[in-house]
Amino acid sequence: MDGFLVGLKQVIDALGATVLLPIIIIIIALVLGAKTGKAIRAGVTIGVAFIGINLVIGLMFTNLSDVAQAIAINTGVTRDVVDVGWPSSAAIAFGSSVGLWIIPVAIIVNIVLLLTGMTRTLNVDVWNFWHMAFVGSLVVAATGSLPMGIATSAVMAAVALFFADWSAKRIQKFYGLPGVSVPHILSVQILPIAMGINWVIERIPGLRDIDLSTDTIQKRFGVLGEPMILGLAIGIILGLIGFWDPSNLPEMTTKVLKTGINLAAVMVLLPRMVKILMEGLIPISEAARTFVQKRAGAREIHIGLDSAILIGHPAAISASLLLVPIAILLEIILPGNRVILFADLAVIPFFIALAAPVVNGNVLRMVIIGTITLTLGFYCATSLAALFTQAAVSSGFDIPSNATQITAIGDGFVWITWVSVFLTKVLGYLGVVILAILTAIGIVILKRSQVDEAATDETPKTVSM
């Protein structure tokens, strides 16, 4: 069995997300009854779109990393927990003992919950199962128990599906993504925080009346409010913060302008890549809807995808870029923080995107929510750094020479990870049981609310005479 799992992991590692996802999409489309030509075209289109998204994210990553390093050098800030980026987290997760088991375990959890009607999400984002394995790898580091790590990862698979179902309608309406949900732990963790903070904002006179959505900005400022120009302006501001050096004006000007134009390009290109992705998703969504209606009446099935499909929205990108200097400021001023950010600043769009549907794209509210969530994340990361580093060493990851310990925004900053590790470390298997019970309760409450909504929608409207 271990040999099969090792082989499966090696194949997935070799293919990567951009090759693996199209293959899975093609297979699922054929199973759902789509014609062969449409299935292949949809799968390849989605693969191409994700390659494009990754290229644009790489452009953003390069610029934000350069800015972060320049600010760190200029301010002289040093911390002993170094951000090594989400690719390192993924390598640690898949390289761990839990990583061998996560794919079959997560698939089994998904199938069971689908067949029992406890979820509406079919999670095809196999590559991102590493988020679940990562939590399990930290549990193993904390407890020394592989079975406990696997059990916790299985619960995380259910948690991801619960949050995906909970946010599906909001995502579909706000982002215009019919039939899609996002079972991405890094992204969904912000949902309860965003809802709570938005509730508070709605009760603060003045603040609740500020509408700073990208549509409103564009209407008020015309060309100057377009996403491309916003990206240029934010990029120039970030460049000035990072590269300020009046003694070398030509070099400073060059770096600032390059940062501005590159981030303007991100604001234009990411939405275009998501539109290409939608071309591939629409036939899959239609096939899934037809398939389910033939066999289960009006029951919906959502296709669970990477939150990369969300970050192309101008509100998500704008809020993310504004949060970059805030994140750097937080790492300097937060008492007790030991984390310095480098590699993962480009992950902030994934971190904040799911707040957009909650606040209807209000960038100001997203920045407030993001600031609070990042603050919580710094303390989660500081607390988990020792286990993060221990898991990295166990999986054969090379610790950078300038770091005593390591972390990453993905997934070191995730409160779900912290809670899971804390409960299992303190309570052992009882902690896993508590996590499972809380998840089950959430699923049951959500399912009942969905039934009530469906019943309300079907109730005939009476007309008073």
Side-chain angles (χ1 to χ4, degrees), residues 79-258:
R79 296 285 184 269
D80 65 335
V81 180
V82 175
D83 160 32
V84 292
W86 74 263
S88 301
S89 301
I92 291 165
F94 275 137
S96 70
S97 52
V98 179
L100 291 175
W101 292 91
I102 190 57
I103 293 171
V105 167
I107 289 173
I108 290 169
V109 169
N110 197 175
I111 291 172
V112 169
L113 292 181
L114 271 173
L115 293 178
T116 56
M118 301 307 290
T119 186
R120 296 179 176 182
T121 294
L122 174 63
N123 189 359
V124 303
D125 190 20
V126 174
W127 169 256
N128 276 316
F129 285 3
W130 74 260
H131 292 279
M132 308 158 195
F134 179 79
V135 179
S137 68
L138 293 191
V139 169
V140 173
T143 66
S145 171
L146 175 59
M148 196 181 302
I150 294 172
T152 306
S153 294
V155 176
M156 289 302 101
V159 168
L161 295 171
F162 161 69
F163 277 110
D165 286 346
W166 187 20
S167 58
K169 290 298 182 184
R170 288 186 177 92
I171 288 171
Q172 292 166 11
K173 181 180 178 181
F174 180 82
Y175 284 104
L177 297 168
V180 168
S181 63
V182 175
H184 197 287
I185 290 176
L186 172 63
S187 298
V188 299
Q189 67 143 359
I190 204 170
L191 276 170
I193 300 172
M195 294 177 72
I197 295 172
N198 192 55
W199 183 88
V200 172
I201 291 174
E202 283 294 330
R203 282 148 184 82
I204 302 176
L207 183 58
R208 67 188 176 196
D209 301 320
I210 300 174
D211 180 11
L212 206 60
S213 67
T214 49
D215 289 340
T216 303
I217 294 170
Q218 189 166 348
K219 286 178 184 176
R220 289 182 180 177
F221 296 99
V223 174
L224 295 178
E226 290 182 3
M228 178 175 63
I229 305 302
L230 284 176
L232 176 66
I234 295 171
I236 288 174
I237 293 169
L238 288 176
L240 287 171
I241 294 171
F243 304 118
W244 181 257
D245 183 10
S247 64
N248 192 350
L249 194 59
E251 184 178 350
M252 181 191 81
T253 303
T254 300
K255 289 181 177 179
V256 168
L257 292 178
K258 281 185 176 180

Side-chain angles (χ1 to χ4, degrees), residues 53-78:
I53 289 170
N54 287 334
L55 288 172
V56 180
I57 291 172
L59 176 64
M60 183 166 59
F61 165 80
T62 300
N63 282 271
L64 295 183
S65 295
D66 289 346
V67 169
Q69 290 185 40
I71 292 174
I73 293 170
N74 291 340
T75 58
V77 175
T78 57

Side-chain angles (χ1 to χ4, degrees), residues 28 73 165 171 244 326 381 387 399 413 417:
I28 289 175
I73 293 170
D165 286 346
I171 288 171
W244 181 257
I326 292 173
L387 291 176
I399 306 298
F413 275 53
T417 303

